[in-house]
Amino acid sequence: CEVAKAAFRILALSATPGAKIVQVQKVITALRIQKLEVRSEDDVSKYRFERHQEIVLVPKRSICREIEQAITKKMIEPVMTILRTHTNIRTQIGTSNATLTSYCIIRARQHHYETTKGTQQRQYDTLFFAAQKFI
């Protein structure tokens, strides 16, 4: 019985890993990709079924708003208070939790990493990830 050792990886992405070429290049470099094949909608259309898209807008009920407010008060506010107090991200995310998005948290975490050194970089990882999940 022989064990085959492959020295390559195959990576398939269903979407572009960035909006700009520089971001895509960072992914290519980080994953050490040597060959890149790009497919368009026309290239893959023969392999997929017909796509039907329908947007249905559902009004938000008052119970949903109450749950949202409870989650914000009990989970998001304490986490964001700690992050704003103990990290240098206040300028990145502002003071209102109402306007936060998951992307805001990701950018704030990146800013924190770029402006701190050593063990301080990873000290608040759990809170950044929690905030990102709760938003």
Side-chain angles (χ1 to χ4, degrees), residues 16 26 29 34 42 53 56 60 68 77 79 84 86 91 97 114 118-119 121 123 126 131:
T16 306
K26 284 182 181 178
T29 304
Q34 293 178 354
D42 296 334
Q53 184 175 351
V56 178
K60 193 182 282 189
E68 227 173 41
E77 285 180 10
V79 168
R84 283 187 181 102
H86 298 287
T91 57
N97 292 332
E114 291 167 2
T119 57
Q121 281 184 329
Q123 186 175 2
T126 304

mmCIF file of all heavy atoms in Angstrom, residues 16 26 29 34 42 53 56 60 68 77 79 84 86 91 97 114 118-119 121 123 126 131:
data_model
loop_
_atom_site.group_PDB
_atom_site.id
_atom_site.type_symbol
_atom_site.label_atom_id
_atom_site.label_comp_id
_atom_site.label_asym_id
_atom_site.label_seq_id
_atom_site.Cartn_x
_atom_site.Cartn_y
_atom_site.Cartn_z
ATOM 1 N N THR A 16 -16.040 36.217 -5.526
ATOM 2 C CA THR A 16 -14.736 36.861 -5.491
ATOM 3 C C THR A 16 -14.391 37.233 -4.056
ATOM 4 O O THR A 16 -15.213 37.814 -3.368
ATOM 5 C CB THR A 16 -14.761 38.131 -6.361
ATOM 6 O OG1 THR A 16 -15.208 37.768 -7.659
ATOM 7 C CG2 THR A 16 -13.385 38.759 -6.447
ATOM 8 N N LYS A 26 -4.172 39.548 -2.435
ATOM 9 C CA LYS A 26 -3.756 39.165 -1.078
ATOM 10 C C LYS A 26 -4.171 37.739 -0.766
ATOM 11 O O LYS A 26 -3.399 36.979 -0.171
ATOM 12 C CB LYS A 26 -4.361 40.121 -0.044
ATOM 13 C CG LYS A 26 -3.680 41.462 0.025
ATOM 14 C CD LYS A 26 -4.298 42.331 1.102
ATOM 15 C CE LYS A 26 -3.653 43.683 1.163
ATOM 16 N NZ LYS A 26 -4.264 44.550 2.177
ATOM 17 N N THR A 29 -1.934 35.384 -2.796
ATOM 18 C CA THR A 29 -0.604 35.317 -2.199
ATOM 19 C C THR A 29 -0.615 34.525 -0.899
ATOM 20 O O THR A 29 0.240 33.661 -0.680
ATOM 21 C CB THR A 29 -0.061 36.738 -1.948
ATOM 22 O OG1 THR A 29 -0.078 37.449 -3.182
ATOM 23 C CG2 THR A 29 1.342 36.699 -1.396
ATOM 24 N N GLN A 34 -0.863 29.269 -7.460
ATOM 25 C CA GLN A 34 0.004 29.460 -8.616
ATOM 26 C C GLN A 34 -0.777 29.556 -9.916
ATOM 27 O O GLN A 34 -0.336 30.156 -10.876
ATOM 28 C CB GLN A 34 1.010 28.323 -8.717
ATOM 29 C CG GLN A 34 1.994 28.336 -7.571
ATOM 30 C CD GLN A 34 2.963 27.182 -7.651
ATOM 31 O OE1 GLN A 34 2.845 26.303 -8.488
ATOM 32 N NE2 GLN A 34 3.929 27.172 -6.755
ATOM 33 N N ASP A 42 -21.792 32.919 -17.809
ATOM 34 C CA ASP A 42 -21.980 32.229 -19.087
ATOM 35 C C ASP A 42 -21.254 30.885 -19.115
ATOM 36 O O ASP A 42 -21.746 29.906 -19.683
ATOM 37 C CB ASP A 42 -21.486 33.104 -20.244
ATOM 38 C CG ASP A 42 -22.279 34.386 -20.385
ATOM 39 O OD1 ASP A 42 -23.464 34.405 -19.978
ATOM 40 O OD2 ASP A 42 -21.718 35.380 -20.890
ATOM 41 N N GLN A 53 -35.541 34.008 -8.876
ATOM 42 C CA GLN A 53 -35.366 34.807 -7.676
ATOM 43 C C GLN A 53 -36.608 35.646 -7.441
ATOM 44 O O GLN A 53 -37.100 36.311 -8.343
ATOM 45 C CB GLN A 53 -34.151 35.722 -7.841
ATOM 46 C CG GLN A 53 -33.832 36.526 -6.627
ATOM 47 C CD GLN A 53 -32.552 37.315 -6.818
ATOM 48 O OE1 GLN A 53 -31.823 37.140 -7.774
ATOM 49 N NE2 GLN A 53 -32.287 38.217 -5.917
ATOM 50 N N VAL A 56 -39.384 38.745 -1.245
ATOM 51 C CA VAL A 56 -40.607 38.914 -0.473
ATOM 52 C C VAL A 56 -40.276 39.758 0.751
ATOM 53 O O VAL A 56 -39.444 39.369 1.572
ATOM 54 C CB VAL A 56 -41.182 37.543 -0.026
ATOM 55 C CG1 VAL A 56 -42.424 37.739 0.820
ATOM 56 C CG2 VAL A 56 -41.462 36.663 -1.227
ATOM 57 N N LYS A 60 -41.800 43.590 9.870
ATOM 58 C CA LYS A 60 -41.264 43.155 11.153
ATOM 59 C C LYS A 60 -42.330 43.343 12.235
ATOM 60 O O LYS A 60 -42.907 44.406 12.362
ATOM 61 C CB LYS A 60 -40.019 43.975 11.500
ATOM 62 C CG LYS A 60 -39.222 43.392 12.634
ATOM 63 C CD LYS A 60 -38.033 44.268 12.972
ATOM 64 C CE LYS A 60 -36.923 44.077 11.992
ATOM 65 N NZ LYS A 60 -35.689 44.746 12.416
ATOM 66 N N GLU A 68 -34.932 41.968 19.369
ATOM 67 C CA GLU A 68 -33.761 42.687 18.889
ATOM 68 C C GLU A 68 -33.216 43.645 19.953
ATOM 69 O O GLU A 68 -32.015 43.721 20.195
ATOM 70 C CB GLU A 68 -34.156 43.485 17.642
ATOM 71 C CG GLU A 68 -33.216 43.353 16.493
ATOM 72 C CD GLU A 68 -33.780 44.037 15.257
ATOM 73 O OE1 GLU A 68 -34.354 45.145 15.363
ATOM 74 O OE2 GLU A 68 -33.628 43.453 14.187
ATOM 75 N N GLU A 77 -24.320 45.608 23.770
ATOM 76 C CA GLU A 77 -23.844 46.777 24.518
ATOM 77 C C GLU A 77 -22.685 46.462 25.465
ATOM 78 O O GLU A 77 -21.675 47.180 25.446
ATOM 79 C CB GLU A 77 -25.003 47.436 25.271
ATOM 80 C CG GLU A 77 -25.919 48.222 24.359
ATOM 81 C CD GLU A 77 -27.078 48.885 25.087
ATOM 82 O OE1 GLU A 77 -27.080 48.904 26.332
ATOM 83 O OE2 GLU A 77 -27.974 49.377 24.399
ATOM 84 N N VAL A 79 -20.439 44.037 25.332
ATOM 85 C CA VAL A 79 -19.256 43.685 24.535
ATOM 86 C C VAL A 79 -18.658 44.935 23.904
ATOM 87 O O VAL A 79 -17.447 45.176 23.978
ATOM 88 C CB VAL A 79 -19.616 42.637 23.455
ATOM 89 C CG1 VAL A 79 -18.490 42.469 22.441
ATOM 90 C CG2 VAL A 79 -19.945 41.294 24.098
ATOM 91 N N ARG A 84 -14.747 49.345 23.222
ATOM 92 C CA ARG A 84 -14.507 50.782 23.097
ATOM 93 C C ARG A 84 -13.605 51.308 24.212
ATOM 94 O O ARG A 84 -12.813 52.216 24.012
ATOM 95 C CB ARG A 84 -15.836 51.541 23.113
ATOM 96 C CG ARG A 84 -16.589 51.467 21.815
ATOM 97 C CD ARG A 84 -17.803 52.383 21.834
ATOM 98 N NE ARG A 84 -18.539 52.280 20.596
ATOM 99 C CZ ARG A 84 -19.660 51.583 20.450
ATOM 100 N NH1 ARG A 84 -20.184 50.932 21.462
ATOM 101 N NH2 ARG A 84 -20.262 51.550 19.284
ATOM 102 N N HIS A 86 -11.286 49.483 26.123
ATOM 103 C CA HIS A 86 -9.958 48.880 26.259
ATOM 104 C C HIS A 86 -9.176 48.750 24.957
ATOM 105 O O HIS A 86 -8.045 48.267 24.975
ATOM 106 C CB HIS A 86 -10.073 47.508 26.913
ATOM 107 C CG HIS A 86 -10.638 47.570 28.299
ATOM 108 N ND1 HIS A 86 -9.924 48.056 29.366
ATOM 109 C CD2 HIS A 86 -11.860 47.239 28.776
ATOM 110 C CE1 HIS A 86 -10.672 48.001 30.456
ATOM 111 N NE2 HIS A 86 -11.850 47.522 30.121
ATOM 112 N N THR A 91 -12.684 55.408 17.101
ATOM 113 C CA THR A 91 -12.792 56.200 15.867
ATOM 114 C C THR A 91 -13.267 55.354 14.694
ATOM 115 O O THR A 91 -13.819 55.879 13.736
ATOM 116 C CB THR A 91 -11.442 56.842 15.506
ATOM 117 O OG1 THR A 91 -10.462 55.814 15.380
ATOM 118 C CG2 THR A 91 -11.022 57.845 16.558
ATOM 119 N N ASN A 97 -24.414 51.811 18.746
ATOM 120 C CA ASN A 97 -24.516 50.401 18.367
ATOM 121 C C ASN A 97 -25.563 50.198 17.281
ATOM 122 O O ASN A 97 -25.575 49.166 16.617
ATOM 123 C CB ASN A 97 -24.865 49.546 19.584
ATOM 124 C CG ASN A 97 -23.732 49.515 20.584
ATOM 125 O OD1 ASN A 97 -22.576 49.653 20.208
ATOM 126 N ND2 ASN A 97 -24.055 49.357 21.851
ATOM 127 N N GLU A 114 -3.477 46.363 13.549
ATOM 128 C CA GLU A 114 -2.449 47.197 12.917
ATOM 129 C C GLU A 114 -1.831 48.197 13.888
ATOM 130 O O GLU A 114 -0.701 48.631 13.693
ATOM 131 C CB GLU A 114 -3.058 47.944 11.726
ATOM 132 C CG GLU A 114 -3.421 47.038 10.572
ATOM 133 C CD GLU A 114 -4.302 47.719 9.535
ATOM 134 O OE1 GLU A 114 -4.614 48.921 9.695
ATOM 135 O OE2 GLU A 114 -4.683 47.031 8.575
ATOM 136 N N GLY A 118 2.253 42.618 19.948
ATOM 137 C CA GLY A 118 2.402 41.530 20.918
ATOM 138 C C GLY A 118 1.091 40.893 21.347
ATOM 139 O O GLY A 118 0.174 40.721 20.551
ATOM 140 N N THR A 119 1.025 40.569 22.618
ATOM 141 C CA THR A 119 -0.132 39.843 23.144
ATOM 142 C C THR A 119 -1.402 40.682 23.159
ATOM 143 O O THR A 119 -2.491 40.144 23.195
ATOM 144 C CB THR A 119 0.132 39.342 24.583
ATOM 145 O OG1 THR A 119 0.465 40.466 25.398
ATOM 146 C CG2 THR A 119 1.258 38.336 24.611
ATOM 147 N N GLN A 121 -2.615 42.251 20.759
ATOM 148 C CA GLN A 121 -3.341 42.049 19.508
ATOM 149 C C GLN A 121 -4.459 41.016 19.676
ATOM 150 O O GLN A 121 -5.558 41.208 19.212
ATOM 151 C CB GLN A 121 -2.394 41.574 18.411
ATOM 152 C CG GLN A 121 -1.587 42.674 17.807
ATOM 153 C CD GLN A 121 -0.741 42.176 16.672
ATOM 154 O OE1 GLN A 121 -0.294 41.034 16.657
ATOM 155 N NE2 GLN A 121 -0.499 43.042 15.700
ATOM 156 N N GLN A 123 -5.702 39.733 22.563
ATOM 157 C CA GLN A 123 -6.361 39.766 23.865
ATOM 158 C C GLN A 123 -7.877 39.913 23.754
ATOM 159 O O GLN A 123 -8.613 39.344 24.546
ATOM 160 C CB GLN A 123 -5.782 40.918 24.690
ATOM 161 C CG GLN A 123 -6.287 40.957 26.110
ATOM 162 C CD GLN A 123 -5.589 42.052 26.906
ATOM 163 O OE1 GLN A 123 -4.770 42.791 26.379
ATOM 164 N NE2 GLN A 123 -5.921 42.146 28.166
ATOM 165 N N THR A 126 -11.893 37.232 21.222
ATOM 166 C CA THR A 126 -13.182 36.630 21.547
ATOM 167 C C THR A 126 -14.294 37.668 21.519
ATOM 168 O O THR A 126 -15.380 37.408 20.994
ATOM 169 C CB THR A 126 -13.136 35.955 22.933
ATOM 170 O OG1 THR A 126 -12.065 35.008 22.935
ATOM 171 C CG2 THR A 126 -14.435 35.246 23.239
ATOM 172 N N ALA A 131 -18.979 40.108 19.033
ATOM 173 C CA ALA A 131 -19.664 41.295 18.499
ATOM 174 C C ALA A 131 -20.072 41.075 17.048
ATOM 175 O O ALA A 131 -21.180 41.409 16.646
ATOM 176 C CB ALA A 131 -18.765 42.512 18.615
#
